[in-house]
Amino acid sequence: MLQKGVIYSLIGAFWMSTMNLFIKFLGGTLPAGEIAFLRGFLGCVLVFLFKYIRHISFTHEDRKLLFLRGLFGGLAMVCNIIAFIHLKMSDAAILFQTTGFFVFIFSVTILKERVPKGAGKWLLVMLLAVVVLVDPFSYSSYNWYAFVALLGAALSAAAFTTIRNISKHGKHSSFEIMTYFMAGSMISGALVVDQAVMPTGHEWWIILALGVITVSAQFFITGAFVTTNAVVAQFLQYVGVFINAIYGYIFFEESLSYSTVIAGIILFVASVMLALLKEQDQPIIEEIIVETKR
């Protein structure tokens, strides 16, 4: 079972990274909001089709929380797309992995969970690693887009926090929650588009592939978190950082600086230690992540 979960997690990381690559391709001509809208639209179509085939129906409960999940998730997706368009793929991927940091913060401040002993030093280490990645002391456009990536990570964590409350009732299917996320991507994308651009012939194929890959990635990531330990599955997602870096090097001639590599490694180690402490003290992080990936 563990082996199956590991395989699912690695495949999910690969598909998520490939999704980011396609976003980067489209970002050369299409605005970020339009990409988010089209991605959400195709995702909704595919999910509704599957729901129809499987005869899965919507519930009438927790609609406010489901709306918030869709809103936060949709805005996070827009931030994610903007970051991947304007940053190096490896940098954007590393910064977006700070979602776990914000999940921890929100679980303590909003859900009133107890801070496990020894967590403070790892939070400080993660904060320092993020400062190195953002590099706030230089005056380049990188800073702005780095903060957009961090905002996306925070919004994702907010979406995860709403799912914690939704999951308490256990009446919502994974596809219902996913539908609200896709719809949120559509709405958020439409709100930030200044001027839509008509995709060309080959871009339509990339957009179609993007929708299919998005649903496929969700399927494998869900399988990973269902069939293995959530902490193991979560940190295997860091493989996606290296896949993004490889894609960036091959297709866009991007390179990694030594400071980025070191900060990324430190962030990874600190994230592992923080999640392990949290899991030992209370399994809320695991529950939030499992429900989010469904």
Side-chain angles (χ1 to χ4, degrees):
M1 189 67 73
L2 177 62
Q3 183 180 6
K4 183 178 180 181
V6 169
I7 293 173
Y8 274 18
S9 188
L10 292 175
I11 294 175
F14 170 77
W15 282 125
M16 288 295 290
S17 302
T18 304
M19 180 190 74
N20 296 332
L21 174 64
F22 283 9
I23 287 172
K24 188 85 169 178
F25 281 141
L26 292 172
T29 55
L30 301 183
E34 184 175 349
I35 297 173
F37 174 84
L38 292 172
R39 176 186 179 275
F41 174 77
L42 288 173
C44 280
V45 170
L46 292 173
V47 171
F48 272 115
L49 180 62
F50 190 86
K51 282 167 59 66
Y52 175 78
I53 295 173
R54 296 288 299 271
H55 303 289
I56 301 173
S57 59
F58 279 122
T59 63
H60 299 283
E61 300 180 15
D62 301 320
R63 285 188 172 178
K64 182 178 179 180
L65 288 174
L66 286 167
F67 172 79
L68 289 176
R69 187 272 180 271
L71 176 63
F72 291 143
L75 291 172
M77 176 52 58
V78 173
C79 291
N80 190 27
I81 291 173
I82 292 173
F84 273 100
I85 289 175
H86 295 284
L87 295 175
K88 293 180 180 179
M89 292 188 67
S90 56
D91 290 345
I94 291 173
L95 288 168
F96 207 70
Q97 290 296 336
T98 57
T99 297
F101 171 84
F102 290 108
V103 168
F104 183 92
I105 297 299
F106 291 158
S107 71
V108 172
T109 58
I110 297 178
L111 300 179
K112 307 301 181 183
E113 298 295 333
R114 187 166 62 88
V115 179
K117 185 178 180 180
K121 60 184 178 183
W122 294 113
L123 287 170
L124 179 60
V125 169
M126 292 180 72
L127 181 61
L128 293 175
V130 170
V131 170
V132 172
L133 289 168
V134 175
D135 191 14
F137 304 107
S138 65
Y139 297 92
S140 64
S141 60
Y142 173 82
N143 293 305
W144 161 247
Y145 295 117
F147 282 115
V148 171
L150 291 175
L151 176 61
L155 288 167
S156 291
F160 298 170
T161 305
T162 62
I163 290 180
R164 167 59 179 167
N165 288 326
I166 294 172
S167 65
K168 289 179 180 179
H169 302 121
K171 296 180 180 179
H172 303 281
S173 70
S174 304
F175 293 97
E176 181 177 7
I177 296 175
M178 190 186 301
T179 300
Y180 276 87
F181 168 61
M182 297 298 178
S185 297
M186 287 177 55
I187 296 171
S188 300
L191 290 175
V192 300
V193 173
D194 291 329
Q195 184 175 1
V197 177
M198 179 61 67
T200 61
H202 78 280
E203 287 173 338
W204 280 115
W205 287 108
I206 295 176
I207 291 168
L208 179 61
L210 186 62
V212 175
I213 288 173
T214 298
V215 176
S216 298
Q218 289 292 327
F219 170 80
F220 282 107
I221 291 175
T222 299
F225 281 86
V226 168
T227 56
T228 190
N229 179 275
V231 173
V232 173
Q234 179 188 14
F235 298 122
L236 282 172
Q237 296 303 302
Y238 274 88
V239 174
V241 174
F242 298 100
I243 298 174
N244 277 282
I246 293 171
Y247 279 154
Y249 176 77
I250 293 174
F251 294 100
F252 305 103
E253 299 182 353
E254 297 176 352
S255 60
L256 282 172
S257 65
Y258 288 114
S259 61
T260 298
V261 173
I262 294 173
I265 293 173
I266 292 174
L267 184 63
F268 168 72
V269 173
S271 298
V272 171
M273 296 305 300
L274 188 63
L276 289 175
L277 286 174
K278 190 62 179 177
E279 184 189 49
Q280 294 169 3
D281 185 75
Q282 197 170 22
I284 181 174
I285 294 290
E286 177 173 332
E287 293 177 24
I288 292 175
I289 295 172
V290 169
E291 293 299 327
T292 303
K293 301 300 183 180
R294 291 181 179 179

